[in-house]
Amino acid sequence: MTTPKNNLFNYLVHDYTHYFNPSPGIQAVLEGDLSRLPEEPSHNDWRALALIINGWDFSEKIGLGRLDEYVTKCLTQYFTTGELPKKSIELWICLNMMQRSENLSGYPLDEKEERAALDIYNAFRKNLLAPSGLKELEDSFMQITSQDNYKKDLIHRYWQYQERYFQPWEKYFDKANKDDKRPPVFLENQARRNVIVAPDADPERYERLFKLIDEGEHHKWFRSMNSSQALALSILGNLCVHKHMEMLIDLEDDEGLPLLGKEIQMIDDFKMEHKINYLGERRRTSLDGFIPGDYQVAIECKFTEHEIGPCSKPGLTEKAATYQDDFCDGNYSIQRSRKERCPLTENGAMYWKYIPCFFNWKNDQNNEPCPLHYKYQLVRNILAVGLKQDRTVTKGHAILIYDERNPSCQKYGKIYEAFTGTRKALNDPNLLRKISWQRITKSMRENKILPWLTEGIAIKYGI
């Protein structure tokens, strides 16, 4: 039997009526009518509703990570504080995982878990009955669809690029193309070919380009054509070694502010993957790009990513070796035997010591949820440029460079929300700015800067 589809959904998991006999209100969901969800659902009602979507797939696509880890974190927070996720799609995903757990274990939920499932259902129904409830849910599904299409288009472009410039494929790549299912990944000994270089580059300039990133500092997927690090080295790296970094001084950010600030009139030094060693971190902050000086600028580069790097602590499971010490339920509060509100502070990181210097967040009171969670990477960048080596406050700001085609960078997307949320929390919002790769390359073309590079970027990435 073919399950009916509606433009609200990408696809449905299966025809759940083989297993349940839900009420007409639940069956109406299959036709895209979510207004008839029953006020008092049966056990079968919420289980049937849970199976209409593929929570495992959706959880990854909207940037929540693994379904089981995300829902475990949500339930831990619910049982601790009574708080549930705010968004309808996230509540629906939680129901999906709870049904999966019950089905896989072969045992019904206990009384406490069943009550949690009903509370999640009721929160989901309340959201949908709100004036903008259905629109918010539709936007979530559209984001998933748009993200899929965005990546599919890029992958198709990459393989065309491979066919045109890299033959035979086995000389350069780890696998052949199979229906554009994944981006091309260069062999280890061919990794440098993922960076666009001048066709007539002399050996000295060629080596200076690749020395901008120290050996061992390449990202895990640097060899993939989806790599934001390879894109950054292609554009920012070439601007640096070809002495054109000053073109950034003339650019304005998305708000019309000078991209690098009025304080920077020339760029004497530019670093990539620059490590900061004064925040007390076990794993030091690494800035994608960094302009040092009396006024410092940090550059965060994104491409196909679906989120800004979040704090990892709320995602830890009991399998982690230091789970008891590092446990975090997503709130900035003292938990278990910890003395500090943040496990990172307990481990020596100084983020919360200096956060009040830049943000309107207090470090001496609970914050629920922790405002750092999904803004973690941007906050670290701001702290890195806002402090000197001796940890005194200095002048500077952080920049986010992004792909304007990426749905996560558009309104309601994970990266967009993290950026706007971080900026609103700053005492001085101008400490965080953003600009797209498209606007940078457009300026390069208009000013005839490195035409071989802008042509290569257009062919490979469509930027």
PDB file of all heavy atoms in Angstrom, residues 212 240 245-246 266-271 290-293:
ATOM      1  N   LEU A 212      50.514  27.904   5.085  1.00  0.00           N
ATOM      2  CA  LEU A 212      49.593  28.681   5.910  1.00  0.00           C
ATOM      3  C   LEU A 212      48.863  27.785   6.911  1.00  0.00           C
ATOM      4  O   LEU A 212      48.417  28.245   7.967  1.00  0.00           O
ATOM      5  CB  LEU A 212      48.574  29.407   5.028  1.00  0.00           C
ATOM      6  CG  LEU A 212      49.061  30.686   4.337  1.00  0.00           C
ATOM      7  CD1 LEU A 212      48.028  31.178   3.328  1.00  0.00           C
ATOM      8  CD2 LEU A 212      49.363  31.776   5.356  1.00  0.00           C
ATOM      9  N   CYS A 240      46.200  36.046   0.393  1.00  0.00           N
ATOM     10  CA  CYS A 240      47.355  36.339   1.248  1.00  0.00           C
ATOM     11  C   CYS A 240      48.673  36.231   0.482  1.00  0.00           C
ATOM     12  O   CYS A 240      49.457  37.177   0.433  1.00  0.00           O
ATOM     13  CB  CYS A 240      47.351  35.402   2.449  1.00  0.00           C
ATOM     14  SG  CYS A 240      48.805  35.564   3.523  1.00  0.00           S
ATOM     15  N   MET A 245      45.247  40.736   0.284  1.00  0.00           N
ATOM     16  CA  MET A 245      44.385  40.705   1.458  1.00  0.00           C
ATOM     17  C   MET A 245      43.727  42.052   1.730  1.00  0.00           C
ATOM     18  O   MET A 245      42.632  42.122   2.297  1.00  0.00           O
ATOM     19  CB  MET A 245      45.173  40.269   2.694  1.00  0.00           C
ATOM     20  CG  MET A 245      45.410  38.777   2.789  1.00  0.00           C
ATOM     21  SD  MET A 245      43.891  37.792   2.970  1.00  0.00           S
ATOM     22  CE  MET A 245      43.467  38.118   4.664  1.00  0.00           C
ATOM     23  N   GLU A 246      44.397  43.140   1.306  1.00  0.00           N
ATOM     24  CA  GLU A 246      43.855  44.471   1.578  1.00  0.00           C
ATOM     25  C   GLU A 246      42.495  44.694   0.927  1.00  0.00           C
ATOM     26  O   GLU A 246      41.755  45.603   1.323  1.00  0.00           O
ATOM     27  CB  GLU A 246      44.837  45.553   1.112  1.00  0.00           C
ATOM     28  CG  GLU A 246      45.892  45.945   2.135  1.00  0.00           C
ATOM     29  CD  GLU A 246      46.943  44.853   2.337  1.00  0.00           C
ATOM     30  OE1 GLU A 246      47.079  44.004   1.443  1.00  0.00           O
ATOM     31  OE2 GLU A 246      47.626  44.860   3.377  1.00  0.00           O
ATOM     32  N   MET A 266      45.934  48.282   7.011  1.00  0.00           N
ATOM     33  CA  MET A 266      46.774  47.395   6.214  1.00  0.00           C
ATOM     34  C   MET A 266      46.924  46.075   6.962  1.00  0.00           C
ATOM     35  O   MET A 266      46.719  46.004   8.175  1.00  0.00           O
ATOM     36  CB  MET A 266      48.152  48.020   5.934  1.00  0.00           C
ATOM     37  CG  MET A 266      48.963  48.362   7.174  1.00  0.00           C
ATOM     38  SD  MET A 266      50.513  49.188   6.756  1.00  0.00           S
ATOM     39  CE  MET A 266      51.282  47.978   5.700  1.00  0.00           C
ATOM     40  N   ILE A 267      47.239  45.030   6.218  1.00  0.00           N
ATOM     41  CA  ILE A 267      47.361  43.698   6.817  1.00  0.00           C
ATOM     42  C   ILE A 267      48.793  43.219   6.634  1.00  0.00           C
ATOM     43  O   ILE A 267      49.214  42.872   5.526  1.00  0.00           O
ATOM     44  CB  ILE A 267      46.375  42.708   6.164  1.00  0.00           C
ATOM     45  CG1 ILE A 267      44.941  43.227   6.334  1.00  0.00           C
ATOM     46  CG2 ILE A 267      46.507  41.316   6.781  1.00  0.00           C
ATOM     47  CD1 ILE A 267      43.893  42.423   5.597  1.00  0.00           C
ATOM     48  N   ASP A 268      49.552  43.240   7.721  1.00  0.00           N
ATOM     49  CA  ASP A 268      50.949  42.820   7.667  1.00  0.00           C
ATOM     50  C   ASP A 268      51.110  41.326   7.873  1.00  0.00           C
ATOM     51  O   ASP A 268      52.117  40.741   7.487  1.00  0.00           O
ATOM     52  CB  ASP A 268      51.766  43.563   8.746  1.00  0.00           C
ATOM     53  CG  ASP A 268      51.808  45.058   8.505  1.00  0.00           C
ATOM     54  OD1 ASP A 268      51.916  45.457   7.332  1.00  0.00           O
ATOM     55  OD2 ASP A 268      51.718  45.819   9.487  1.00  0.00           O
ATOM     56  N   ASP A 269      50.106  40.715   8.497  1.00  0.00           N
ATOM     57  CA  ASP A 269      50.237  39.301   8.837  1.00  0.00           C
ATOM     58  C   ASP A 269      48.851  38.658   8.781  1.00  0.00           C
ATOM     59  O   ASP A 269      47.847  39.273   9.139  1.00  0.00           O
ATOM     60  CB  ASP A 269      50.824  39.158  10.242  1.00  0.00           C
ATOM     61  CG  ASP A 269      51.307  37.745  10.537  1.00  0.00           C
ATOM     62  OD1 ASP A 269      51.342  36.931   9.600  1.00  0.00           O
ATOM     63  OD2 ASP A 269      51.643  37.469  11.701  1.00  0.00           O
ATOM     64  N   PHE A 270      48.810  37.455   8.295  1.00  0.00           N
ATOM     65  CA  PHE A 270      47.563  36.689   8.263  1.00  0.00           C
ATOM     66  C   PHE A 270      47.898  35.241   8.561  1.00  0.00           C
ATOM     67  O   PHE A 270      48.844  34.679   8.007  1.00  0.00           O
ATOM     68  CB  PHE A 270      46.881  36.802   6.896  1.00  0.00           C
ATOM     69  CG  PHE A 270      45.679  35.906   6.751  1.00  0.00           C
ATOM     70  CD1 PHE A 270      44.519  36.157   7.466  1.00  0.00           C
ATOM     71  CD2 PHE A 270      45.707  34.799   5.907  1.00  0.00           C
ATOM     72  CE1 PHE A 270      43.398  35.333   7.339  1.00  0.00           C
ATOM     73  CE2 PHE A 270      44.600  33.969   5.772  1.00  0.00           C
ATOM     74  CZ  PHE A 270      43.436  34.238   6.487  1.00  0.00           C
ATOM     75  N   LYS A 271      47.147  34.646   9.447  1.00  0.00           N
ATOM     76  CA  LYS A 271      47.414  33.271   9.851  1.00  0.00           C
ATOM     77  C   LYS A 271      46.165  32.428   9.640  1.00  0.00           C
ATOM     78  O   LYS A 271      45.035  32.928   9.692  1.00  0.00           O
ATOM     79  CB  LYS A 271      47.817  33.225  11.334  1.00  0.00           C
ATOM     80  CG  LYS A 271      49.031  34.075  11.684  1.00  0.00           C
ATOM     81  CD  LYS A 271      49.297  34.055  13.182  1.00  0.00           C
ATOM     82  CE  LYS A 271      50.440  34.984  13.570  1.00  0.00           C
ATOM     83  NZ  LYS A 271      51.724  34.561  12.980  1.00  0.00           N
ATOM     84  N   PHE A 290      43.079  34.505  11.099  1.00  0.00           N
ATOM     85  CA  PHE A 290      43.407  35.408  12.201  1.00  0.00           C
ATOM     86  C   PHE A 290      44.298  36.527  11.708  1.00  0.00           C
ATOM     87  O   PHE A 290      45.313  36.289  11.034  1.00  0.00           O
ATOM     88  CB  PHE A 290      44.118  34.637  13.323  1.00  0.00           C
ATOM     89  CG  PHE A 290      44.502  35.489  14.511  1.00  0.00           C
ATOM     90  CD1 PHE A 290      43.530  36.152  15.242  1.00  0.00           C
ATOM     91  CD2 PHE A 290      45.826  35.606  14.894  1.00  0.00           C
ATOM     92  CE1 PHE A 290      43.881  36.932  16.338  1.00  0.00           C
ATOM     93  CE2 PHE A 290      46.189  36.382  15.980  1.00  0.00           C
ATOM     94  CZ  PHE A 290      45.213  37.043  16.712  1.00  0.00           C
ATOM     95  N   ILE A 291      43.887  37.759  12.010  1.00  0.00           N
ATOM     96  CA  ILE A 291      44.698  38.933  11.711  1.00  0.00           C
ATOM     97  C   ILE A 291      45.140  39.508  13.043  1.00  0.00           C
ATOM     98  O   ILE A 291      44.322  40.070  13.790  1.00  0.00           O
ATOM     99  CB  ILE A 291      43.907  39.981  10.908  1.00  0.00           C
ATOM    100  CG1 ILE A 291      43.421  39.369   9.584  1.00  0.00           C
ATOM    101  CG2 ILE A 291      44.767  41.216  10.638  1.00  0.00           C
ATOM    102  CD1 ILE A 291      42.502  40.287   8.795  1.00  0.00           C
ATOM    103  N   PRO A 292      46.422  39.347  13.409  1.00  0.00           N
ATOM    104  CA  PRO A 292      46.910  39.825  14.712  1.00  0.00           C
ATOM    105  C   PRO A 292      47.213  41.322  14.685  1.00  0.00           C
ATOM    106  O   PRO A 292      47.225  41.949  13.632  1.00  0.00           O
ATOM    107  CB  PRO A 292      48.184  39.008  14.907  1.00  0.00           C
ATOM    108  CG  PRO A 292      48.683  38.764  13.512  1.00  0.00           C
ATOM    109  CD  PRO A 292      47.460  38.650  12.640  1.00  0.00           C
ATOM    110  N   GLY A 293      47.461  41.870  15.863  1.00  0.00           N
ATOM    111  CA  GLY A 293      47.827  43.281  15.972  1.00  0.00           C
ATOM    112  C   GLY A 293      47.151  43.929  17.154  1.00  0.00           C
ATOM    113  O   GLY A 293      46.570  43.260  18.025  1.00  0.00           O
TER     114      GLY A 293
END
